[in-house]
């Protein structure tokens, strides 16, 4: 009995965790699990360096040469740490994506493609770090930072969202499967109690029906989310030949050149956006998780009632 209660609590906790992950993605690109303590330390260091840079720029006791030397060193430090922060972001997402569950060969292809694009961003940031170290002027550092920011805004944000959606749907699939198994197990246990004359036949019919209804609703929403991702990947594959013709080296050595690491990603995301399916993947997952939570609430009511009857 103790093991069963532990399993129920664990499953409900899993639902709560996924709901928190979905909610965390609403305000930004990164989910809660992507923010590690080391990233917070790095962000704090960047903030301090920015404050110091502002002081240096306003310090009239420095000669122009001294000011430029200190500003160059500080800007290098800021950009270097910002690049490292961005690199850790894509590494965190890629590592999660590698273990993500996929529902079909098509989505497995999507997972592998996104992993490859994220790996290209890792390599891109490594190359940009080297470029910062060799930059000789404040202007060069500014140019590198601007190019990275533009590439990040145009490409990386949508890439991370795509990866996060796939991770969420995979986690949702596991939770729906677990809830279905739990529902079947509870039905068997209730039958045993009925045969033992502990409860009357159909005593928990209302609660069991309610749980089944919520779980079925969650499963339908999960299937919609899977279908949405599948359609997006089909749209991506449809233009594959055209994108392959445009493919270039993802790492641009020349800081003067366009510094977007994965050529073709924008076309992919535009193809995805043309699929007029509402609500969004995140909203589908969120609605499914709410239904799962309601289903587990019904399970818990049955559990508490059985405890009272047995004691």
């Amino acid at each position: 009995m103790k093991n069963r209660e532990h399993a129920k609590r664990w499953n409900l906790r899993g639902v709560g965790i996924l709901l928190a992950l979905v909610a965390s993605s609403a305000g930004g690109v990164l989910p809660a699990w992507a923010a590690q303590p080391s990233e917070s330390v790095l962000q704090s260091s960047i903030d301090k360096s920015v404050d110091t840079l502002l002081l240096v720029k306003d310090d009239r006791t420095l000669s122009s040469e001294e000011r430029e030397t200190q500003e160059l060193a500080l800007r290098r430090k800021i950009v270097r740490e910002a690049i490292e922060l961005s690199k850790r972001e894509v590494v965190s997402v890629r590592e999660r994506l590698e273990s993500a569950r996929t529902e079909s060969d098509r989505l497995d292809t999507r997972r592998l493609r996104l992993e490859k694009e994220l790996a290209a961003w890792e390599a891109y940031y490594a190359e940009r770090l080297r470029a910062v170290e060799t930059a000789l002027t404040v202007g060069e550092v500014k140019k590198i930072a601007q190019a990275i920011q533009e590439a990040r805004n145009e490409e990386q944000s949508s890439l991370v969202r795509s990866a996060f959606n796939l991770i969420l749907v995979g986690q949702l699939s596991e939770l729906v499967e677990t809830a279905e198994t739990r529902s079947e197990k509870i039905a068997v246990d209730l039958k045993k109690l009925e045969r033992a004359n502990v409860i009357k036949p159909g005593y928990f019919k209302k609660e069991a029906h309610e749980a089944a209804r919520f779980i079925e609703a969650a499963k339908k929403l999960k299937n919609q989310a899977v279908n949405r991702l599948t359609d997006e990947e089909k749209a991506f594959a449809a233009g594959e030949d055209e994108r392959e013709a445009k493919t270039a080296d993802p790492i641009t050595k020349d800081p003067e050149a366009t510094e977007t690491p994965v050529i073709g990603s924008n076309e992919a995301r535009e193809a995805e956006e043309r699929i007029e399916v509402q609500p969004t993947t995140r909203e589908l997952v969120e609605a499914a998780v709410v239904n799962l939570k309601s289903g587990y609430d019904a399970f818990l009511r049955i559990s508490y009632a059985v405890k009272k009857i047995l004691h």
Side-chain angles (χ1 to χ4, degrees), residues 210-231:
E210 181 180 328
R213 181 166 55 84
F214 281 123
I215 292 170
E216 181 60 27
K219 186 175 182 178
K220 287 180 179 178
L221 289 164
K222 183 268 293 183
N223 289 338
Q224 288 181 46
V226 169
N227 291 338
R228 177 175 175 79
L229 294 183
T230 300
D231 288 344

Side-chain angles (χ1 to χ4, degrees), residues 175-233:
L175 285 174
V176 168
E177 190 175 283
T178 300
E180 288 180 315
T181 301
R182 173 58 51 191
S183 182
E184 292 168 3
K185 184 67 171 62
I186 288 174
V188 170
D189 289 345
L190 291 179
K191 282 295 182 183
K192 289 178 181 178
L193 292 175
E194 289 176 4
R195 285 196 295 269
N197 293 319
V198 176
I199 60 174
K200 294 179 181 179
Y203 186 82
F204 290 108
K205 182 178 179 180
K206 178 182 176 183
E207 289 82 0
H209 177 75
E210 181 180 328
R213 181 166 55 84
F214 281 123
I215 292 170
E216 181 60 27
K219 186 175 182 178
K220 287 180 179 178
L221 289 164
K222 183 268 293 183
N223 289 338
Q224 288 181 46
V226 169
N227 291 338
R228 177 175 175 79
L229 294 183
T230 300
D231 288 344
E232 288 175 358
E233 191 58 28

